[in-house]
Amino acid sequence: MAGKVMIPFLVCLLCLVLLLSCGKKETSPVSSNYPESFSFFSIGANTILTERLLDSLESQLGDEAVATRNVINLEINEEGFLQEFFPRLDTLNRQLNSSAGERVEHNTIQLSYRYMERRNPPFDFAEILFSGITRKPLRMRILSRRDGPDILDALREKYGDARVIDWGGPIEETHYWEKNGDLLVFSILPDQFDEPRYEIHIFYVNSLEELVDREAKQELRQEKTEENALKNVF
């Protein structure tokens, strides 16, 4: 009689274990520890996006707008600039986008700061894109209309002399630094009144390449899942 009572109990226990296993959330793969390169407001290659970091940025830059599932376009200055001067970035940009022009969204978190004059930093706009998987930065875009020469001097003091690309007219000029695979680009461009404006881009290339690799593996797993599903149907 005891054996007959134990059998239903074991069956229920087995079902419970299976249910818990199915309901267990899949943890994100551990991210690589990248070599440090460039930073902006203490955000570097291995900085993790946390509530504490959000609070710190808000105190320095003002309120942020948050967007998820973003398109990633790495192109800067003018169409074809990456292809001519930064082919590694151009390859990444092509991998992150559709050759057919379709919208490709990525698991990312974008922070945008548009009202920084309230905190009085030397910038007019900042945009920081984080991976939604590792929560580490992928790229930054910072704009300034007034303190460009001072910003360039500060970058030279911190990172040394830059390489210079004279790619356009009397104003168009780009200074850039490479460190441990990552890239910092400072460009001078004309605005609508032919006055200089300044764009700073930080590309965490190692992190971007990891994102491309993760997405390619995810797509391959999805394709195999669909193939197996078709096999089961027919």
Side-chain angles (χ1 to χ4, degrees), residues 3-4 22 34 42 53 73 84 86 104 141 178 196 224 231:
K4 291 181 180 179
C22 292
Y34 307 119
S42 300
L53 177 59
N73 182 8
E84 183 173 357
F86 300 111
V104 180
R141 177 172 169 254
E178 289 182 272
K224 288 183 178 179
K231 287 178 183 177

Side-chain angles (χ1 to χ4, degrees), residues 183-230:
L183 193 65
L184 168 59
V185 183
F186 176 97
S187 291
I188 308 168
L189 307 100
D191 64 12
Q192 57 184 342
F193 305 109
D194 286 332
E195 294 295 323
R197 61 185 176 89
Y198 309 95
E199 291 192 7
I200 303 100
H201 297 266
I202 300 177
F203 298 99
Y204 292 102
V205 178
N206 298 307
S207 192
L208 285 163
E209 287 180 337
E210 182 177 353
L211 175 66
V212 168
D213 183 59
R214 286 180 186 275
E215 290 185 338
K217 289 177 179 176
Q218 176 63 34
E219 186 176 348
L220 185 61
R221 286 194 295 268
Q222 182 64 32
E223 288 176 356
K224 288 183 178 179
T225 301
E226 291 174 358
E227 287 176 5
N228 291 335
L230 285 174

Side-chain angles (χ1 to χ4, degrees), residues 16 26-27 32 46 49 51 53 75 77 84 89 99 105 108 111 121 128 141 143 154 160 174 181 183 185 204 206 216:
L16 180 61
E26 183 182 355
T27 56
S32 304
N46 293 293
L49 179 61
E51 288 297 328
L53 177 59
E75 193 65 80
N77 297 344
E84 183 173 357
L89 269 184
S99 58
E105 296 180 344
T108 52
L111 309 179
I128 309 171
R141 177 172 169 254
L143 308 181
T174 291
L183 193 65
V185 183
Y204 292 102
N206 298 307

Side-chain angles (χ1 to χ4, degrees), residues 41 57-66 111-127 141-143 146:
F41 280 97
L57 289 172
E58 184 175 348
S59 69
Q60 298 175 87
L61 302 177
D63 296 335
E64 74 276 347
V66 182
L111 309 179
S112 300
Y113 298 88
R114 300 180 183 274
Y115 306 105
M116 292 191 291
E117 65 273 7
R118 299 174 185 174
R119 302 296 190 274
N120 201 33
F123 313 108
D124 300 301
F125 173 80
E127 184 180 270
R141 177 172 169 254
I142 305 109
L143 308 181
R146 56 193 186 279

Side-chain angles (χ1 to χ4, degrees), residues 62-82:
D63 296 335
E64 74 276 347
V66 182
T68 58
R69 301 297 306 176
N70 303 283
V71 172
I72 302 178
N73 182 8
L74 303 180
E75 193 65 80
I76 60 173
N77 297 344
E78 63 180 9
E79 187 175 352
F81 187 87
L82 293 185

Side-chain angles (χ1 to χ4, degrees), residues 122-166:
F123 313 108
D124 300 301
F125 173 80
E127 184 180 270
I128 309 171
L129 185 69
F130 289 86
S131 166
I133 304 170
T134 67
R135 301 184 76 83
K136 293 182 179 182
L138 297 167
R139 72 166 295 180
M140 300 182 190
R141 177 172 169 254
I142 305 109
L143 308 181
S144 178
R145 292 186 177 275
R146 56 193 186 279
D147 294 312
D150 292 337
I151 295 170
L152 183 56
D153 286 343
L155 291 173
R156 286 186 182 130
E157 184 176 345
K158 185 171 184 178
Y159 300 116
D161 291 335
R163 299 178 187 178
V164 182
I165 302 170
D166 186 0

Side-chain angles (χ1 to χ4, degrees), residues 4-19:
K4 291 181 180 179
V5 172
M6 282 295 293
I7 291 173
F9 172 77
L10 290 173
V11 171
C12 290
L13 183 62
L14 180 59
C15 290
L16 180 61
V17 170
L18 289 172
L19 238 138

